[in-house]
């Protein structure tokens, strides 16, 4: 036997003895199981494919110990583990896409950023966005909303469309700041469906979300069709059904102020305000550089 093998035997014996001693120690008790933290959710249900089915609230009980902290987590938990027929929209889970907009405890908001009230014993009530046609359960029909958004032509427009893309459209820092609080809108429709004027005249009044986006393009220094955009809004219903109730601003999950944007549109229509000329003209700068 070689000297190396002989020298390693004591170390092997020590290691074996060490593990044997560790195995002989009493095992620690498993941590006590958490007591179930049950939260009730009363959810609006309606399935048009079921004959005779009428809108109703269905109650589900969720153990918050096995669920994430947001209302969307609870909805996903219910769909995965309790009732696969529950229908709702969701996508990003980060408050960016606007898909999971719904009415939670009487407030229009996004389910993915709405925290479950674990301190209250009252059931959380969840409905689809109010005053919209319902496709199924928590899924509203957004077609009218998107058609209204399409009507404002939400893209950059120039006098000479043939020149678009041939040179960069420059914008000063000051002009860019005018878009802050406007471009962040995710078109979740929380504000529009919280507006009583939109409830009453949703077919004619464009609503807070669409009007804020209209103002976003009107005020953009790079857009040259502001007059035409304003002219399309110059009728009794598109803008002037807004009565400054301000539900839109109160409920916006992104913290934006559609009411202020609508007021600015009204000022432009009435001539109390005008759009300032762009502080940076690409043509002039290029000629100066040449």
């Amino acid at each position: 036997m070689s000297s190396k093998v002989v020298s390693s035997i004591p170390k092997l014996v020590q290691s074996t003895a060490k593990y044997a001693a560790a195995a002989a120690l009493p095992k620690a008790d498993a941590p006590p199981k958490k007591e179930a933290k049950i939260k009730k959710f009363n959810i609006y249900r309606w399935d048009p494919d079921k004959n005779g089915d009428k809108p109703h609230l269905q109650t589900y009980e969720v153990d918050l110990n096995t669920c994430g902290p947001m209302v969307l987590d609870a909805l996903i938990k219910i769909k995965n583990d309790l009732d696969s027929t529950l229908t709702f929209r969701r996508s990003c889970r980060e408050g960016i896409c606007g898909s999971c907009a719904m009415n939670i405890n009487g407030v229009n908001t996004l389910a993915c950023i709405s925290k479950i009230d674990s301190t209250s014993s009252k059931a959380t009530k969840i409905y689809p966005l109010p005053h919209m046609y319902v496709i199924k359960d928590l899924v509203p029909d957004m077609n009218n909303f998107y058609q209204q958004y399409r009507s404002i032509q939400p893209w950059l427009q120039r006098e000479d469309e043939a020149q678009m893309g041939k040179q960069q459209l420059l914008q000063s820092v000051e002009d860019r700041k005018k878009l802050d609080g406007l471009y962040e809108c995710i078109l979740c429709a929380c504000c529009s469906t919280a507006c009583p004027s939109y409830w009453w005249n949703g077919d004619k009044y464009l609503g807070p979300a669409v009007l804020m986006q209209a103002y976003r393009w009107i005020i953009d220094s790079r857009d040259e069709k502001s007059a035409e955009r304003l002219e399309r809004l110059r009728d009794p219903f598109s803008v002037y059904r807004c009565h400054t109730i301000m539900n839109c601003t109160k409920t916006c999950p992104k913290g934006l102020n559609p009411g202020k944007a609508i007021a600015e549109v009204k000022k432009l229509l009435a001539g109390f305000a005008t759009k300032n000329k762009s502080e940076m003209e690409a043509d002039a700068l290029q000629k100066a550089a040449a």
Side-chain angles (χ1 to χ4, degrees):
M1 186 180 294
S2 69
S3 59
K4 289 185 178 180
V5 173
V6 172
S7 63
S8 66
I9 289 177
K11 294 181 179 178
L12 180 61
V13 172
Q14 290 176 2
S15 178
T16 304
K18 180 180 177 182
Y19 285 114
L25 292 173
K27 292 184 179 179
D29 295 334
K33 188 177 181 180
K34 286 186 178 180
E35 183 181 351
K37 195 173 183 181
I38 302 300
K39 179 71 175 180
K40 290 184 178 180
F41 293 86
N42 294 339
I43 301 177
Y44 177 97
R45 300 300 307 272
W46 178 66
D47 187 351
D49 296 328
K50 284 185 180 179
N51 291 330
D53 189 33
K54 295 182 179 180
H56 62 281
L57 289 180
Q58 187 166 343
T59 301
Y60 298 94
E61 293 186 349
V62 175
D63 182 1
L64 298 185
N65 292 328
T66 63
C67 174
M70 302 300 177
V71 172
L72 182 60
D73 293 320
L75 291 172
I76 293 173
K77 175 78 173 175
I78 292 168
K79 186 172 181 67
N80 288 344
D81 298 347
L82 303 178
D83 187 351
S84 62
T85 66
L86 179 63
T87 305
F88 54 91
R89 290 190 180 109
R90 89 288 183 273
S91 184
C92 73
R93 300 182 67 168
E94 297 289 343
I96 296 171
C97 70
S99 299
C100 64
M102 54 190 72
N103 185 280
I104 301 172
N105 284 335
V107 177
N108 290 355
T109 187
L110 302 176
C112 64
I113 60 173
S114 179
K115 197 167 184 179
I116 299 170
D117 186 1
S118 58
T119 62
S120 174
S121 60
K122 293 182 179 180
T124 297
K125 295 182 179 180
I126 306 176
Y127 292 85
L129 290 175
H131 295 272
M132 299 186 83
Y133 292 109
V134 175
I135 297 174
K136 183 182 179 183
D137 294 343
L138 300 176
V139 180
D141 185 349
M142 302 285 284
N143 279 320
N144 180 59
F145 178 79
Y146 290 138
Q147 287 297 329
Q148 290 174 325
Y149 179 58
R150 182 182 182 181
S151 73
I152 65 166
Q153 300 182 7
W155 57 84
L156 201 63
Q157 298 181 23
R158 303 282 290 180
E159 293 290 349
D160 188 359
E161 295 288 344
Q163 297 300 314
M164 286 287 284
K166 293 186 177 180
Q167 65 182 21
Q168 183 179 0
L169 300 179
L170 303 177
Q171 191 172 48
S172 69
V173 174
E174 289 72 21
D175 284 337
R176 170 60 185 79
K177 283 182 179 179
K178 295 175 184 177
L179 306 182
D180 289 342
L182 303 172
Y183 77 90
E184 299 96 331
C185 174
I186 58 176
L187 297 173
C188 63
C190 283
C191 62
S192 292
T193 54
C195 173
S197 295
Y198 194 73
W199 301 344
W200 304 325
N201 301 286
D203 57 333
K204 299 176 183 177
Y205 172 52
L206 294 181
V210 173
L211 287 174
M212 185 164 69
Q213 287 307 294
Y215 179 64
R216 176 256 178 274
W217 292 104
I218 290 169
I219 205 65
D220 194 319
S221 62
R222 300 163 297 176
D223 192 275
E224 296 179 340
K225 295 286 186 178
S226 297
E228 291 83 348
R229 293 181 186 278
L230 286 169
E231 198 58 37
R232 285 195 294 271
L233 301 177
R234 201 181 296 278
D235 63 71
F237 283 93
S238 293
V239 178
Y240 290 109
R241 290 303 95 185
C242 170
H243 300 301
T244 326
I245 299 170
M246 300 301 287
N247 278 8
C248 54
T249 300
K250 184 177 180 181
T251 200
C252 177
K254 302 294 286 185
L256 307 180
N257 192 344
K260 180 181 178 182
I262 296 172
E264 294 297 333
V265 172
K266 288 179 179 179
K267 285 162 63 177
L268 289 168
L269 286 169
F272 292 125
T274 57
K275 178 181 176 179
N276 295 329
K277 189 176 180 181
S278 173
E279 295 183 7
M280 297 184 74
E281 291 291 343
D283 291 336
L285 289 173
Q286 287 187 357
K287 287 178 181 178

